[in-house]
Amino acid sequence: MSKYVGVARALADLERNPEQFDAAHERGHCVVLAGPGSGKTKTLTTAMARTLVEDVVDPRGVACITYNNECATELETRLAKLGIMSSERCFIGTVHSFALTQVIAPYARCIAGLLPDRFRVAARSECRAAVEIAHEAVFGNGGNPHDRWLFAEEKRRRDVDRRLPVWRGQNPELADFIEAYEAELRRNGLIDFNDMPLIAFRMIKDHPWIRDALRARFPVLFVDEYQDLGHALHELVLLLCFESGIRLFAVGDADQSIYGFTGANPELLESLTDRADIRTIRLRLNYRSGAKIIRASLGALGEDRDYRGVEGAHDGELTFWPVEGEHSLQAQHIAKTVLPTLLGRGFQLEQIAILYRAAWLGDIVVESLEHADTPFVRTDVNALVNRSSRLARFAEACAGWVTGGWRVADPPYGRLLGQALSLVYGGRASEAEAQALSRQLLAFLRSGIDAGETTHAWLSRFCRELIAVWQPISRNPHQEWEVCLDMMKRTDPTQGRDMPLNTFSGRIEGTGRVTLSTFHSAKGREFDAVVLFGINDSDIPNWRDRKSGRALREARRLFYVGVTRPRKELCLVYQEHHHSPWVAELYQRGQ
């Protein structure tokens, strides 16, 4: 499809929603406040596509910063459907990836003494060792270094600009700890994950020519899920957009800010909407959920919003399932009663999700589903594929190509090659290097078509024929090769963990598998029916949430995210006479 035709159709489709239409056509700084199910990703991708076609002249392009790699893949897929393919003109990735590939890698060598030559990103064990060495240097042998580092990391994420008095004016001993830790990393030629946006900020702050170079390449900056991205991203936005002239298009929802433990702060998004030089557009129409679920969700949130459903849409259902017993009995009730009831009402397993607060609760659900012979696919941190790992997601995408995707270009081979080049060369390879890597990748992929391999056997070849070849030549400072060994362990056939390759690849449509996910991992997703498990007074909110007003508000937002995932039915499972206090508010609003 021609990109002009695809973009024109997408813009025409937005005419039915004036807020979406206005946002996609805005040519100044713009913040889109998008509630659940309001079509924010559709609005964002259409705005990006229109900007590339109408506003930005080749070879200039746009950058889009996302919360995680999964969001980036979703945006790339949607843009491809509009005829906009991934290219040098369009960066889509996390703030860490943007900092590393667009700022640090191209420009750090121009700044004497900034970073060691051929630096790389430290492994977790190397970070822990650096914390212990720095702690002993600053504090001696007293106390647990890793407990104290939790407080240091919070300061490190919050106090981005170290020239401000607050850096040493508040908790100066933590500033010493952080600086000693970073010095130890540099002594070993390392940076860590959180270094990336911090170093990029200092480079852009101190060197206006880097700002000019970024503005020349990316005159427009898009940011998805702004409320989740924290202080470093916010400071970068202030520098690039309001001091350097890059146009900002940000999308977010403070009500869905649930990553406070990583430094996210919904007040940063709200501060943008207070600026006179930014147009704020609110998307109020919920295309996902029935009216009853929308009303109930406001009970979960505990605040009023002017969201409304689509006229003529279904009303939605709320069902409540009290159980006499704690988690294990609640999980058994889901497997023996709740799921069969939903199936009896016409839902398919692949249309159903079971959501819970933490992965250990998922382990309890898994045990009950296995006893009931109910098939499932898991997407939390105990899943086979680590959603935050680019290498794991690349392996998953390759498996998807092998198990049928090659027939319909899903995923396109060009995207796989781009991912491989990024993994090995950081995206910057010579033509000869790119051609050689493409030959290796294509030979491996073709050899797997109709080979009948299990996931473990295929991963073994993946590690042997690709990763072992690429690792010695890699110039990417952020290497994740150990992820391959972890995936092989998780599919060990001697432990009964192996599976068909199409299951690993995610090609399970129509195969009848219920989705298991934490609230955090389910953010941005939707299902016909959602079962919320463990909605007990001691679980949500738990004792940690009750320690501060900020923590309690975030727990409530987390509950709200779970409640807003279903299209047609929401089921709440909890211990009888011991349910979350928010269940009663949800019930009252949903009537």
Side-chain angles (χ1 to χ4, degrees):
M1 179 192 299
S2 164
K3 62 183 178 182
Y4 301 104
V5 173
V7 175
R9 289 178 179 172
L11 289 169
D13 191 46
L14 294 186
E15 290 182 0
R16 294 172 293 180
N17 185 315
E19 290 84 8
Q20 289 182 335
F21 187 80
D22 288 350
H25 284 85
E26 178 59 44
R27 287 178 165 84
H29 294 312
C30 182
V31 170
V32 178
L33 300 179
S38 61
K40 67 98 176 169
T41 305
K42 179 180 181 180
T43 305
L44 174 62
T45 51
T46 304
M48 286 179 64
R50 189 205 61 76
T51 299
L52 283 166
V53 170
E54 297 182 0
D55 297 350
V56 179
V57 178
D58 195 358
R60 303 180 85 191
V62 302
C64 181
I65 292 176
T66 67
Y67 179 71
N68 57 33
N69 292 315
E70 195 167 4
C71 293
T73 300
E74 171 68 13
L75 290 175
E76 289 174 352
T77 300
R78 292 201 182 205
L79 284 171
K81 291 178 180 178
L82 299 181
I84 306 292
M85 305 305 295
S86 298
S87 69
E88 287 292 316
R89 292 189 66 207
C90 189
F91 168 87
I92 303 176
T94 64
V95 64
H96 299 85
S97 177
F98 179 82
L100 183 62
T101 65
Q102 307 302 315
V103 182
I104 298 173
Y107 305 123
R109 293 180 182 176
C110 302
I111 304 171
L114 178 66
L115 289 175
D117 291 337
R118 294 190 63 81
F119 69 89
R120 64 176 176 83
V121 180
R124 181 177 299 180
S125 59
E126 293 170 317
C127 292
R128 289 181 64 84
V131 164
E132 291 164 6
I133 292 170
H135 187 272
E136 184 172 358
V138 174
F139 300 105
N141 292 321
N144 185 310
H146 300 290
D147 288 345
R148 186 169 272 158
W149 182 246
L150 294 176
F151 296 98
E153 271 287 74
E154 182 179 351
K155 178 178 177 63
R156 190 181 182 211
R157 289 192 297 259
R158 183 185 64 248
D159 299 339
V160 177
D161 190 346
R162 297 183 183 177
R163 294 182 177 180
L164 297 179
V166 70
W167 175 246
R168 292 209 166 274
Q170 292 183 3
N171 302 112
E173 71 284 354
L174 292 183
D176 292 338
F177 189 13
I178 293 165
E179 290 171 356
Y181 164 79
E182 293 173 347
E184 177 62 20
L185 289 182
R186 304 297 183 270
R187 190 177 67 80
N188 290 287
L190 302 170
I191 66 173
D192 75 0
F193 193 65
N194 288 325
D195 263 324
M196 297 177 194
L198 298 175
I199 293 170
F201 170 80
R202 290 195 286 271
M203 291 173 65
I204 295 169
K205 180 78 171 177
D206 295 344
H207 302 280
W209 60 270
I210 297 179
R211 304 182 213 173
D212 295 340
L214 290 170
R215 185 178 66 251
R217 186 174 184 192
F218 302 124
V220 185
L221 173 65
F222 293 85
V223 183
D224 189 19
E225 303 287 9
Y226 197 99
Q227 76 282 350
D228 291 333
L229 288 162
H231 290 268
L233 180 278
H234 186 66
E235 294 295 336
L236 283 173
V237 164
L238 296 180
L239 267 179
L240 292 174
C241 298
F242 303 110
E243 291 188 30
S244 306
I246 292 176
R247 191 173 95 205
L248 173 67
F249 187 102
V251 179
D253 180 10
D255 292 337
Q256 297 185 74
S257 180
I258 57 174
Y259 291 99
F261 59 90
T262 66
N265 183 348
E267 295 173 4
L268 302 179
L269 173 62
E270 293 167 349
S271 72
L272 290 182
T273 64
D274 292 335
R275 295 183 63 106
D277 53 353
I278 288 181
R279 181 183 181 187
T280 299
I281 297 175
R282 297 179 183 273
L283 304 185
R284 297 178 172 86
L285 199 59
N286 185 324
Y287 292 93
R288 176 188 301 154
S289 303
K292 184 179 290 188
I293 296 175
I294 295 172
R295 292 195 303 270
S297 72
L298 299 180
L301 183 63
E303 298 182 30
D304 286 320
R305 297 288 183 267
D306 59 347
Y307 299 140
R308 62 188 187 277
V310 179
E311 188 174 347
H314 56 82
D315 201 33
E317 287 294 334
L318 294 173
T319 56
F320 299 84
W321 303 82
V323 177
E324 292 185 5
E326 297 188 1
H327 296 113
S328 59
L329 291 177
Q330 293 168 42
Q332 291 172 30
H333 191 69
I334 290 174
K336 295 178 180 179
T337 305
V338 179
L339 289 180
T341 299
L342 290 172
L343 294 174
R345 290 212 287 266
F347 291 100
Q348 302 297 314
L349 276 179
E350 61 267 24
Q351 301 168 345
I352 302 171
I354 302 172
L355 308 184
Y356 35 83
R357 182 160 191 182
W360 66 268
L361 290 168
D363 295 339
I364 298 173
V365 177
V366 165
E367 184 176 356
S368 292
L369 294 182
E370 287 178 340
H371 285 160
D373 292 324
T374 302
F376 60 88
V377 58
R378 193 169 184 177
T379 62
D380 59 29
V381 296
N382 287 342
L384 172 60
V385 176
N386 179 352
R387 315 308 294 184
S388 65
S389 165
R390 293 177 306 148
L391 180 55
R393 291 184 59 78
F394 172 67
E396 182 184 45
C398 286
W401 194 92
V402 167
T403 55
W406 60 274
R407 294 188 179 92
V408 292
D410 178 26
Y413 175 73
R415 183 187 300 167
L416 295 179
L417 178 59
Q419 290 174 333
L421 289 169
S422 178
L423 287 167
V424 179
Y425 298 114
R428 299 176 181 274
S430 68
E431 184 175 347
E433 289 171 333
Q435 289 177 352
L437 188 143
S438 180
R439 288 193 295 270
Q440 295 162 357
L441 176 60
L442 196 55
F444 170 76
L445 293 174
R446 285 175 170 169
S447 68
I449 296 175
D450 296 327
E453 293 174 300
T454 66
T455 297
H456 186 81
W458 184 85
L459 284 172
S460 297
R461 283 203 310 111
F462 179 82
C463 294
R464 184 173 65 252
E465 297 178 17
L466 291 184
I467 302 308
V469 175
W470 292 349
Q471 189 171 357
I473 63 173
S474 173
R475 294 198 301 271
N476 183 356
H478 191 196
Q479 300 175 5
E480 304 176 290
W481 310 122
E482 72 281 356
V483 170
C484 285
L485 296 178
D486 180 58
M487 288 192 294
M488 289 182 63
K489 289 178 182 177
R490 293 190 182 207
T491 57
D492 186 350
T494 66
Q495 301 294 320
R497 297 176 177 176
D498 208 354
M499 65 185 71
L501 188 58
N502 68 329
T503 300
F504 169 71
S505 71
R507 294 197 176 279
I508 55 175
E509 287 294 326
T511 57
R513 292 174 182 267
V514 65
T515 296
L516 307 187
S517 176
T518 60
F519 293 148
H520 285 97
S521 296
K523 189 168 178 289
R525 304 185 68 186
E526 58 185 38
F527 306 89
D528 281 355
V530 168
V531 181
L532 301 188
F533 164 59
I535 310 303
N536 307 312
D537 185 46
S538 56
D539 293 317
I540 187 162
N542 61 26
W543 65 271
R544 292 185 182 88
D545 302 326
R546 301 173 198 267
K547 292 177 68 175
S548 73
R550 179 180 290 271
L552 192 62
R553 287 192 296 273
E554 176 153 322
R556 186 142 198 170
R557 293 195 297 267
L558 184 64
F559 183 48
Y560 174 70
V561 165
V563 167
T564 55
R565 296 311 95 196
R567 287 185 281 262
K568 299 179 180 179
E569 181 155 349
L570 175 67
C571 309
L572 293 99
V573 179
Y574 48 84
Q575 185 175 0
E576 190 169 20
H577 307 305
H578 191 61
H579 58 70
S580 167
W582 301 328
V583 169
E585 295 181 55
L586 184 150
Y587 176 81
Q588 292 170 1
R589 291 278 193 128
Q591 297 309 298

